[in-house]
Amino acid sequence: MENKDLQYLCENWLIEATIEDLQDKLSSGEITSKQLVLMYLHRISLYDGELKSVLEINPDALHLAAALDKERTITGARGPLHGIPVLLKDNIATHDKMHTSAGSLALADSYAPADSHVAHVLRDAGAIILGKTNMTEWANFMTEGMPSGYSSRGGQTLNPYGPGKFDVGGSSAGSGAAIAANFAAVAVGTETSGSILSPASQNSLVGIKPTVGLVSRTGIIPIAHTQDTAGPMARTVKDAAILLTALVGTDFEDSITLTGDDLAEVDFTNYLDVDGLKGARIGVAREVYFDYLSEEKRVVLDKAIQELEKLGAVIIEDVKIPSTKNKWSYHVLTYEFKSDLNAYLQNVDPRLKIRSLADVIAFNEANEDKMLKYGQVILKEAEETSGTLTEKDYLQALENDHYHSTINGIDYVLKEHQLDAIVFPNNFGAGIPAKAGYPSITVPAGYSPEGEPVGITFTGTAFSEPTLLKLAYAFEQGTKYRLPPKL
């Protein structure tokens, strides 16, 4: 950097700086939001050539920052996100000079006709949308065997803790890698089943997969309306709670948000309690889920569970979720994808020829060398459905998933053992709460001997985010496992 004062701050202060740290310097006048944007852009220029986490920079970022700096001097800050740079996953629509493509070259020229509700509330909170992050193409609902973090538009995102060595996690891979590498304060990812929890765990981040209905899905390129949600990705629980507070709210265009009214005006930072684990009853779901772990990672998780106990939690070992060994299908996703994507594509830029899932498939076939490195078997499978959601397989799978994930799943275990939360390793338990639409929070739990991040995930029933945040914060503050990657 030519500005040596900013260079010093960038190298010695900005790394791991929290939203609170940033606001302290912004409010004191030591830095401006415009300078903050410049520092993050500098870090992107230095390190993202290899990582490929940021797909596109907002051309208006510096101007937005300057405007928010002026507003701060006149009327003060709007709140904790005023002037704070935020990155958004590339399936979250922004009505500006950036594209919204779900990582696909088929939508590389698509400008959204309106902000997503997520983008809208972030702008209202004073956040600066710095750019879009790369993602697994079509949120990893395109084909089988595609690596996490790969897209035809953005290439392969790598894990900053071990580029080319460790899985970056999917499909919010770019959001995970970018925040781990400190290219912005926080990011928004999306999840259908594990797509926030996985990259958060793999990049030593805090990831919150909210209850479906807490955060609006309007303007987000979908997979399945029964499971999709956006959520925060951050380096600390408090930063994630600040971002969640801004994201939550009723959106009359997304009727499920009416179920989250009780938390619509909540400041989630009020639930952060360093003693939050004292007396909490935590069930450990070992059956099946811990089998996915290597012996080295199992040691890390076992130590984390011991830490929970030291911090005052009552640990109930090896709780059994009745439906764990069920033969689950992804029929619900297959059927809902065509219906939901076709509806979304009706509102994209009218100059584009991509107006349906069939058009996406045709585009991919016409540009096979660029688009079909890993095929499109899942897209074709979804296209074979009627798109009307009338099929017997779909309707039966929908009821099956709901019952076995809630009444005969998470809620059964919580009630049986009077638990505050269930603990899973990394994102390996993501499937059941995803089908239930229930919340989970993952927190850094340490590293394997090779340096690969390991996460511990707390899961609860619908709208139990306040409890989960309390538990996650107490664990984070009692252990402080997170270390920044060495770039």
Side-chain angles (χ1 to χ4, degrees), residues 319-376:
V319 299
K320 308 292 186 185
I321 301 173
S323 54
T324 290
K325 295 183 179 180
N326 281 18
K327 190 175 180 180
W328 298 94
S329 76
Y330 61 86
H331 287 335
V332 169
L333 308 190
T334 304
Y335 286 96
E336 291 186 359
F337 182 64
K338 181 177 180 178
S339 171
D340 292 346
L341 183 63
N342 284 352
Y344 176 89
L345 291 174
Q346 293 307 302
N347 295 313
V348 299
D349 190 326
R351 292 171 296 179
L352 292 177
K353 296 180 180 179
I354 308 297
R355 314 297 290 179
S356 67
L357 175 57
D359 292 340
V360 173
I361 292 169
F363 177 91
N364 292 344
E365 290 175 345
N367 299 276
E368 183 176 355
D369 57 330
K370 295 179 181 178
M371 304 305 299
L372 297 180
K373 184 176 181 179
Y374 300 100
Q376 55 178 343

Side-chain angles (χ1 to χ4, degrees), residues 211-225:
T211 305
V212 173
L214 196 62
V215 177
S216 171
R217 300 159 302 176
T218 300
I220 298 177
I221 299 176
I223 291 181
H225 58 268

Side-chain angles (χ1 to χ4, degrees), residues 34-85:
K34 185 175 181 180
Q35 290 173 325
L36 191 55
V37 168
L38 287 170
M39 286 191 279
Y40 282 127
L41 293 180
H42 179 64
R43 286 189 61 81
I44 291 169
S45 75
L46 289 180
Y47 303 117
D48 203 44
E50 179 183 25
L51 298 180
K52 291 184 171 62
S53 66
V54 180
L55 193 59
E56 191 169 1
I57 294 295
N58 186 353
D60 292 327
L62 284 171
H63 296 157
L64 291 168
L68 287 161
D69 284 331
K70 183 172 183 180
E71 181 182 323
R72 183 186 292 269
T73 63
I74 297 171
T75 58
R78 301 183 196 179
L81 285 179
H82 186 107
I84 301 297

